[in-house]
Amino acid sequence: MKKGHGLKRALPVVGRSELELLPTGALLARLKRLRWCEDGPECSDLLPDEIALVSGQILFKCDPHWQTAYSDVKEVLATRDHIERKIG
């Protein structure tokens, strides 16, 4: 089940330079939240008036900012050291 509902799903637009300052855990959390975004307003349970309240933030994958935000997070994560998970 997705965490956050309604307008709590909206993500602020964050520049690449700001992403590079975030710890890896925060980047992974942002990536997860970006993946949770709905495809578009037609798939949403939000009303048009509610959607208008978060203009300038990322709410749907069809938003042009979503693709940029997603690729930026992936690129910044690719520069981080990979640590193997401990099993057991």
Side-chain angles (χ1 to χ4, degrees), residues 1-10 33 36 38 45:
M1 179 184 234
K2 293 181 181 182
K3 291 185 181 179
H5 59 287
L7 300 178
K8 293 180 185 176
R9 295 182 216 150
R33 289 191 61 199
W36 282 345
E38 294 179 287
D45 57 347

Side-chain angles (χ1 to χ4, degrees), residues 13-64:
V13 176
V14 177
R16 174 83 183 250
S17 58
E18 293 175 71
L19 290 175
E20 291 171 352
L21 299 174
L22 293 175
T24 303
L27 290 171
L28 290 169
R30 183 169 174 84
L31 182 65
K32 186 181 230 183
R33 289 191 61 199
L34 284 166
R35 288 179 177 154
W36 282 345
C37 288
E38 294 179 287
D39 291 331
E42 64 281 349
C43 302
S44 178
D45 57 347
L46 296 173
L47 299 173
D49 293 342
E50 293 174 313
I51 294 169
L53 290 174
V54 293
S55 65
Q57 294 188 32
I58 302 167
L59 193 56
F60 302 111
K61 291 180 181 175
C62 67
D63 184 330

